[in-house]
Coordinates of all heavy atoms in Angstrom, one line a residue:
F38 N 0.0 6.3 -19.1 CA 1.0 6.4 -20.1 C 1.3 5.0 -20.8 O 1.5 4.1 -20.0 CB 2.3 7.1 -19.6 CG 2.2 8.4 -19.1 CD1 1.9 8.6 -17.7 CD2 2.2 9.6 -19.9 CE1 1.8 9.8 -17.2 CE2 2.0 10.8 -19.4 CZ 1.8 10.9 -18.0
F39 N 1.3 4.9 -22.1 CA 1.6 3.6 -22.7 C 3.0 3.5 -23.2 O 3.5 2.4 -23.6 CB 0.6 3.4 -23.8 CG -0.7 3.1 -23.3 CD1 -1.8 4.0 -23.4 CD2 -1.0 1.8 -22.7 CE1 -3.0 3.8 -23.0 CE2 -2.3 1.6 -22.2 CZ -3.3 2.5 -22.4
S40 N 3.8 4.6 -23.3 CA 5.1 4.6 -24.0 C 6.1 5.3 -23.1 O 5.7 6.3 -22.5 CB 5.0 5.3 -25.3 OG 6.3 5.3 -25.9
P41 N 7.2 4.7 -22.8 CA 7.8 3.6 -23.3 C 7.4 2.3 -22.6 O 7.4 1.2 -23.1 CB 9.3 3.7 -23.1 CG 9.4 4.7 -21.9 CD 8.2 5.5 -22.0
V42 N 6.9 2.5 -21.4 CA 6.2 1.4 -20.6 C 4.8 1.8 -20.1 O 4.6 3.0 -20.0 CB 7.1 0.8 -19.5 CG1 8.4 0.2 -20.0 CG2 7.4 1.9 -18.5
F43 N 4.0 0.9 -19.8 CA 2.6 1.3 -19.2 C 2.8 1.8 -17.8 O 3.5 1.2 -16.9 CB 1.7 0.1 -19.1 CG 0.4 0.4 -18.6 CD1 -0.5 1.0 -19.3 CD2 0.2 0.0 -17.2 CE1 -1.7 1.3 -18.7 CE2 -1.0 0.3 -16.7 CZ -2.0 1.0 -17.4
V44 N 2.4 3.0 -17.6 CA 2.4 3.7 -16.3 C 1.1 4.2 -16.0 O 0.5 5.0 -16.8 CB 3.5 4.8 -16.3 CG1 3.5 5.5 -14.9 CG2 4.8 4.3 -16.5
F45 N 0.6 4.0 -14.7 CA -0.6 4.6 -14.3 C -0.3 5.3 -13.1 O 0.2 4.7 -12.1 CB -1.7 3.5 -14.0 CG -2.9 4.0 -13.4 CD1 -3.9 4.7 -14.2 CD2 -3.2 4.0 -12.0 CE1 -5.1 5.3 -13.7 CE2 -4.4 4.5 -11.6 CZ -5.3 5.1 -12.4
Y46 N -0.5 6.7 -13.0 CA 0.0 7.4 -11.9 C -0.9 8.6 -11.7 O -1.3 9.3 -12.7 CB 1.4 8.0 -12.1 CG 1.9 8.9 -11.0 CD1 2.1 8.4 -9.7 CD2 2.0 10.3 -11.3 CE1 2.5 9.3 -8.7 CE2 2.5 11.1 -10.3 CZ 2.6 10.7 -8.9 OH 3.0 11.6 -8.0
V47 N -1.5 8.8 -10.5 CA -2.4 9.9 -10.2 C -1.6 10.8 -9.1 O -1.4 10.3 -8.0 CB -3.7 9.5 -9.7 CG1 -4.5 10.6 -9.2 CG2 -4.4 8.6 -10.6
P48 N -1.1 11.9 -9.6 CA -0.4 12.8 -8.6 C -1.3 13.3 -7.5 O -2.6 13.4 -7.7 CB 0.1 13.9 -9.5 CG -0.5 13.8 -10.8 CD -1.1 12.5 -10.9
P49 N -0.8 13.6 -6.4 CA -1.7 14.0 -5.2 C -2.5 15.2 -5.5 O -3.7 15.4 -5.1 CB -0.8 14.3 -4.1 CG 0.5 13.6 -4.4 CD 0.6 13.4 -5.9
Y50 N -2.0 16.2 -6.4 CA -2.7 17.4 -6.7 C -3.8 17.1 -7.7 O -4.7 18.0 -7.9 CB -1.8 18.4 -7.2 CG -1.1 18.1 -8.4 CD1 -1.7 18.3 -9.7 CD2 0.2 17.5 -8.5 CE1 -1.0 18.0 -10.9 CE2 0.8 17.2 -9.6 CZ 0.3 17.5 -10.8 OH 0.9 17.1 -12.0
A51 N -3.9 15.9 -8.3 CA -4.9 15.7 -9.4 C -5.9 14.7 -8.9 O -6.7 14.1 -9.8 CB -4.2 15.2 -10.7
I52 N -6.0 14.4 -7.6 CA -7.0 13.4 -7.2 C -8.5 13.8 -7.6 O -9.2 13.0 -7.9 CB -6.7 13.1 -5.7 CG1 -5.5 12.4 -5.5 CG2 -7.9 12.3 -5.1 CD1 -5.0 12.2 -4.0
V53 N -8.8 15.0 -7.4 CA -10.1 15.5 -7.7 C -10.5 15.2 -9.1 O -11.5 14.8 -9.5 CB -10.3 17.0 -7.3 CG1 -11.7 17.5 -7.7 CG2 -10.2 17.1 -5.8
D54 N -9.5 15.6 -10.0 CA -9.7 15.4 -11.5 C -9.8 13.9 -11.8 O -10.6 13.6 -12.7 CB -8.5 16.0 -12.3 CG -8.5 17.5 -12.3 OD1 -9.7 18.1 -12.1 OD2 -7.4 18.1 -12.5
F55 N -9.1 13.0 -11.1 CA -9.2 11.6 -11.3 C -10.6 11.1 -10.9 O -11.1 10.4 -11.5 CB -8.1 10.9 -10.6 CG -8.2 9.4 -10.7 CD1 -7.8 8.8 -12.0 CD2 -8.6 8.6 -9.8 CE1 -8.0 7.4 -12.2 CE2 -8.7 7.2 -10.0 CZ -8.4 6.6 -11.1
I56 N -11.1 11.6 -9.7 CA -12.4 11.2 -9.2 C -13.4 11.6 -10.3 O -14.4 10.9 -10.6 CB -12.6 11.7 -7.9 CG1 -11.7 11.1 -6.9 CG2 -14.1 11.7 -7.4 CD1 -11.7 11.7 -5.5
L57 N -13.3 12.8 -10.8 CA -14.3 13.2 -11.8 C -14.2 12.5 -13.1 O -15.2 12.2 -13.7 CB -14.0 14.8 -12.1 CG -14.3 15.8 -11.0 CD1 -13.9 17.1 -11.5 CD2 -15.8 15.8 -10.6
V58 N -13.0 12.0 -13.5 CA -12.9 11.1 -14.6 C -13.6 9.8 -14.4 O -14.3 9.3 -15.2 CB -11.4 10.9 -15.0 CG1 -11.2 9.8 -15.9 CG2 -10.9 12.2 -15.6
V59 N -13.4 9.2 -13.2 CA -14.1 7.9 -12.8 C -15.6 8.2 -12.8 O -16.4 7.3 -13.3 CB -13.5 7.4 -11.5 CG1 -14.3 6.3 -11.0 CG2 -12.1 7.1 -11.7
A60 N -16.0 9.3 -12.3 CA -17.5 9.5 -12.2 C -18.1 9.7 -13.5 O -19.2 9.2 -13.9 CB -17.7 10.8 -11.4
I61 N -17.4 10.4 -14.4 CA -17.9 10.6 -15.8 C -18.0 9.3 -16.6 O -19.0 8.9 -17.2 CB -17.1 11.7 -16.6 CG1 -17.3 13.0 -16.1 CG2 -17.4 11.6 -18.1 CD1 -16.4 14.1 -16.7
A62 N -16.9 8.4 -16.4 CA -16.8 7.2 -17.1 C -18.0 6.3 -16.6 O -18.7 5.6 -17.4 CB -15.5 6.5 -16.9

Side-chain angles (χ1 to χ4, degrees):
F38 300 95
F39 288 107
S40 177
V42 294
F43 177 78
V44 176
F45 178 75
Y46 176 69
V47 179
Y50 62 85
I52 290 176
V53 172
D54 288 333
F55 179 72
I56 291 170
L57 292 176
V58 165
V59 171
I61 287 171

